[in-house]
Amino acid sequence: MTVRRLSAGLMAAALLTPGVAACTTTGDGTAGTTATPSATTTASGAAGDADAKQALLDSTREISNGNFRFRMSGAGSTAEGQVHQPSQSAQMKVSIGEPTDDLAMTLDLIHAKPDSWVKLDLQGAAASSVPGRDKLSLGKYQHLDQSRIQGNRNLGFDFDKVDPAGSAVLTQAVTEVRRTGDGAYAGTIDLSKAAEAGSLDQGLITALGAQANSVPFTATTDAQGRLTEMVLQVPGVQAGAATQEIRVTYSDYGNATAAQKPPADQVVEAPPELYNLFD
């Protein structure tokens, strides 16, 4: 295990990759499985499938307005928070691993244009071996240099692409879909066409090989047709490995609130060691 390998899969749910799961030594790294609902027969046949695909594409439109809460989970890690485009702010809390693992990490990321902060905590027996740990001001909000985090999927946030999970990209990569109930869908996604989605990492897609071309998923929408949940059943990338569930949920459309800036007495400037950790 190396700390740099762990940091490579952090936010934008690159945290949900085999590399991150491999950094923990307890448990099997899986998040369980969910049975795929059986398809309901429609009189329209193929046209019904096309309607279902369009409904999924439409379900992500409200996300682009940037006013919602979200949660992502998989491989023993979670990321949850809110995006509030009206105030150009966002907050997300990320947890990787368990305190009983060799190394676990939690982050509290706050973005309020033009500033960003991160509060970092490290746990586990290997935490003391993290490079530059004594310079990291653990437990304090570290003010981030925007020039250092621009384009960084771990620490940065792009207010032109407000969905941390990239569900619009995922739905565009759907290869087959059918309605399974009122506001419920099931089908397959070609992950090789969704590498830009924040809930995925190129390393995961590469490791899957041909299996990435047809990954099962389920999705649900609310009464307004807005996406509320998408679940990917990602095959194990090693022989005998269990299926990994990646789950993304959305809520409180139009009702998120502005992220609160951290109190000044809890803020320090981020040292070079912090940026090195997440490069």
Side-chain angles (χ1 to χ4, degrees):
M1 178 194 74
T2 65
V3 173
R4 290 185 64 83
R5 183 64 187 92
L6 177 116
S7 68
L10 230 205
M11 191 46 219
L15 66 148
L16 306 175
T17 66
V20 172
C23 289
T24 59
T25 58
T26 60
D28 61 9
T30 64
T33 59
T34 300
T36 301
S38 59
T40 55
T41 304
T42 63
S44 53
D49 291 345
D51 290 344
K53 175 66 177 289
Q54 188 60 53
L56 277 184
L57 292 173
D58 293 343
S59 74
T60 65
R61 289 181 180 174
E62 184 64 25
I63 297 173
S64 65
N65 289 330
N67 193 330
F68 58 87
R69 296 189 62 83
F70 71 93
R71 188 177 193 275
M72 297 182 283
S73 64
S77 302
T78 62
E80 59 185 326
Q82 61 185 16
V83 177
H84 192 251
Q85 183 74 291
S87 63
Q88 294 278 275
S89 69
Q91 182 169 11
M92 50 205 80
K93 296 183 179 181
V94 182
S95 175
I96 298 178
E98 301 292 339
T100 53
D101 294 336
D102 278 355
L103 180 60
M105 179 183 292
T106 60
L107 298 95
D108 184 359
L109 281 155
I110 299 175
H111 303 279
K113 262 191 167 181
D115 295 298
S116 297
W117 303 263
V118 62
K119 183 166 69 173
L120 172 67
D121 188 27
L122 301 172
Q123 298 174 323
S128 60
S129 64
V130 172
R133 183 184 185 279
D134 58 332
K135 304 286 184 63
L136 291 177
S137 298
L138 300 179
K140 290 278 191 177
Y141 282 96
Q142 303 184 58
H143 183 253
L144 300 170
D145 181 346
Q146 293 296 319
S147 68
R148 297 289 300 271
I149 66 172
Q150 186 175 9
N152 186 313
R153 294 180 75 183
N154 299 324
L155 297 175
F157 188 82
D158 186 349
F159 282 96
D160 292 326
K161 299 177 181 178
V162 295
D163 181 10
S167 291
V169 177
L170 289 172
T171 57
Q172 290 165 8
V174 167
T175 54
E176 183 270 329
V177 62
R178 59 201 181 277
R179 293 184 187 271
T180 59
D182 187 16
Y185 305 86
T188 55
I189 293 179
D190 184 350
L191 297 189
S192 69
K193 297 179 179 178
E196 293 303 311
S199 48
L200 301 176
D201 179 75
Q202 184 59 57
L204 169 63
I205 296 171
T206 300
L208 285 172
Q211 294 183 101
N213 300 333
S214 185
V215 171
F217 81 94
T218 58
T220 58
T221 59
D222 63 14
Q224 288 73 48
R226 302 170 300 193
L227 186 66
T228 54
E229 181 178 79
M230 179 173 283
V231 181
L232 306 181
Q233 300 292 341
V234 181
V237 298
Q238 297 175 340
T243 296
Q244 175 178 287
E245 180 181 274
I246 296 178
R247 181 183 300 268
V248 181
T249 62
Y250 299 92
S251 62
D252 291 340
Y253 283 109
N255 294 312
T257 57
Q260 298 300 305
K261 298 179 181 181
D265 62 356
Q266 296 184 27
V267 173
V268 297
E269 287 298 320
E273 288 80 5
L274 179 79
Y275 302 107
N276 293 340
L277 184 63
F278 294 100
D279 281 343

